[in-house]
Amino acid sequence: MALLDGRVAVVTGAGQGLGAAEAIALAAAGARVVLNDLPGPGLDAVAAQIRDAGGEAAVRPGDVAEWSTGEGLLSAFDGVDILVNNAGVLRDRMVFSMSEQEWDTVIRVHLRGHFVTTRLATAYWRSLSKTSGRPAYARIVNTASEAFLLGSAGQPNYAAAKGGIVALTLATARGCARYGVRANAICPRARTAMTGELMGPPPDGPDPLSPARVAPLVTYLAGPAGERITGEVFVAHGDVVAVLGPPTVRAAFHASGSQWTLDELDATLGKVFTADPPQPGFVCEETLPLAESTFGESE
């Protein structure tokens, strides 16, 4: 399969789980893959698997939120065509008992980690585009989560980071389109070391929540067809790929005069928000019922 022959793909969090599956799939499609994760045997094992299959892999361990780590990823094969940001950690706790360190760690690894690699890659692509006089081949696939859609109560740090990643993805797509950058985000459901407690043990047979089920979408977005797709957010798992729509305006109200008064706001909004106890309204639960075979070939 020569879909990505000659392309360089950087994958963070590639030592296990989603990142490993994505890196292996990209290599199978012909990309030279730069693998990043914290130091450990996982990176070397993934690299060996890629090389044993005839692919090319470079291992660059390190903290993805460190600038020097990001620079090392781009220099491994002298440039980058595809960036897949996947590195992450969990420090789950309710917001009223979360420590400063638990907040900072998750925001740093997820959101700053995505920023560091995106900042360096887009600067490289911008320079390449200006020098060549044409758009660069530039693909970014960021990893968000349905946690940002649902406001996961026990994961305020993680939900906030994933919401920030979606915003970063959209800003990148809009700000760097002229240079050829196509940036998208995925919200994957996959059984990994990070989600094992939540999703439980895998079944005896084929696992519908295997990380390998998400990898084809990442490879597709990284390929030539990804030229037509940018600024989108996908939910992916099993045989499901769902494209999320943008937020909508549920209702709009106008003051009778030049500005609102407290009494007028109460008279207007008091008729709208009547639930007792109140329930969060800016929550997207439409993704929860998604299951295998939700979308057929005709959709």
Side-chain angles (χ1 to χ4, degrees):
M1 189 173 178
L3 183 68
L4 299 176
D5 268 359
R7 301 298 180 187
V8 175
V10 169
V11 183
T12 71
Q16 61 181 341
L18 277 167
E22 292 161 350
I24 291 167
L26 291 167
R32 296 180 291 165
V33 184
V34 183
L35 308 173
N36 163 262
D37 211 322
L38 293 177
L43 275 180
D44 291 331
V46 174
Q49 185 173 343
I50 289 173
R51 292 167 185 153
D52 288 347
E56 191 172 355
V59 175
R60 292 294 183 272
D63 179 354
V64 74
E66 290 289 342
W67 202 263
S68 58
T69 300
E71 290 175 328
L73 297 179
L74 266 64
S75 64
F77 285 126
D78 192 26
V80 61
D81 302 295
I82 300 154
L83 171 62
V84 180
N85 283 310
N86 183 70
V89 296
L90 290 179
R91 297 291 186 273
D92 291 353
R93 202 175 298 277
M94 299 296 287
V95 69
F96 47 76
S97 57
M98 180 165 289
S99 71
E100 180 181 7
Q101 184 177 15
E102 287 166 338
W103 173 271
D104 288 347
T105 296
V106 170
I107 297 296
R108 183 180 187 277
V109 175
H110 286 274
L111 188 52
R112 177 180 163 86
H114 274 63
F115 162 71
V116 168
T117 54
T118 297
R119 160 63 174 81
L120 294 168
T122 53
Y124 168 77
W125 288 324
R126 179 175 180 267
S127 176
L128 198 64
S129 176
K130 285 181 172 292
T131 300
S132 66
R134 62 180 183 273
Y137 188 103
R139 306 282 190 270
I140 298 176
V141 181
N142 288 331
T143 305
S145 168
E146 291 171 86
F148 98 92
L149 298 168
L150 302 170
S152 296
Q155 299 179 305
N157 47 4
Y158 182 75
K162 293 306 188 181
I165 286 168
V166 170
L168 172 64
T169 303
L170 299 180
T172 302
R174 299 191 72 176
C176 300
R178 73 185 72 178
Y179 310 119
V181 177
R182 304 293 181 259
N184 297 284
I186 62 171
C187 298
R189 292 185 203 171
R191 201 184 315 273
T192 66
M194 199 167 76
T195 63
E197 290 188 13
L198 175 66
M199 296 186 174
D204 292 334
D207 187 358
L209 293 178
S210 166
R213 303 274 191 118
V214 177
L217 174 62
V218 174
T219 305
Y220 181 79
L221 293 173
E227 174 66 23
R228 305 187 304 273
I229 307 170
T230 196
E232 301 288 354
V233 181
F234 298 86
V235 173
H237 60 90
D239 67 1
V240 174
V241 169
V243 186
L244 299 186
T248 60
V249 177
R250 186 167 39 157
F253 310 96
H254 297 277
S256 59
S258 60
Q259 69 178 53
W260 288 94
T261 66
L262 294 180
D263 287 341
E264 191 177 8
L265 281 169
D266 184 56
T268 303
L269 299 183
K271 298 175 182 177
V272 178
F273 303 106
T274 59
D276 186 18
Q279 297 296 317
F282 196 78
V283 171
C284 176
E285 295 183 342
E286 284 79 0
T287 64
L288 288 178
L290 291 176
E292 289 186 280
S293 300
T294 298
F295 298 100
E297 292 182 0
S298 62
E299 298 188 38

